[in-house]
Amino acid sequence: MITNSTIGKSNTIIYTATKQTAITTMILCNTGATPDTISLYIVKSGGVPSNVNTILSNLQLIANDTFVCDTERIILDAGDTVRAVSTTGNTQMTVSVMELAS
């Protein structure tokens, strides 16, 4: 299953797990004409983005650039979220997930 979202200029929920899920790939694409800076978080259910759950901090994407995270698999429990924030709001994010047997 995949989800596609635009990363907003404020805390944006990109994906919420409804049951135990493995994130297989995350793709960030700056579709704008100007550079963008992204921070990405994996947040436990009930939590908020902070330094302790940051997985990418101030990632800079030049105009029309793409960044792919596909090496590590991340296991989420129900209610856990992938969140992001952008300085321009021009970056699109695709998350590929696989729901695990419960």
Side-chain angles (χ1 to χ4, degrees):
M1 171 174 64
I2 63 168
T3 62
N4 303 95
S5 301
T6 300
I7 301 173
K9 292 181 182 181
S10 62
N11 176 26
T12 305
I13 296 175
I14 304 298
Y15 174 76
T16 301
T18 57
K19 61 181 186 178
Q20 195 171 61
T21 305
I23 296 176
T24 58
T25 305
M26 294 185 286
I27 303 167
L28 296 89
C29 183
N30 179 0
T31 58
T34 59
D36 198 0
T37 302
I38 306 295
S39 290
L40 185 62
Y41 309 87
I42 301 291
V43 181
K44 207 162 180 46
S45 181
V48 295
S50 68
N51 288 340
V52 298
N53 51 35
T54 302
I55 61 169
L56 288 174
S57 179
N58 296 314
L59 172 69
Q60 297 195 2
L61 292 175
I62 61 172
N64 299 308
D65 194 16
T66 300
F67 181 83
V68 178
C69 303
D70 64 350
T71 303
E72 296 295 326
R73 303 300 178 247
I74 300 168
I75 307 299
L76 303 178
D77 286 325
D80 295 348
T81 58
V82 176
R83 301 182 190 206
V85 64
S86 160
T87 57
T88 67
N90 292 329
T91 296
Q92 312 304 310
M93 186 167 174
T94 298
V95 178
S96 175
V97 301
M98 180 175 54
E99 292 183 341
L100 305 175
S102 46

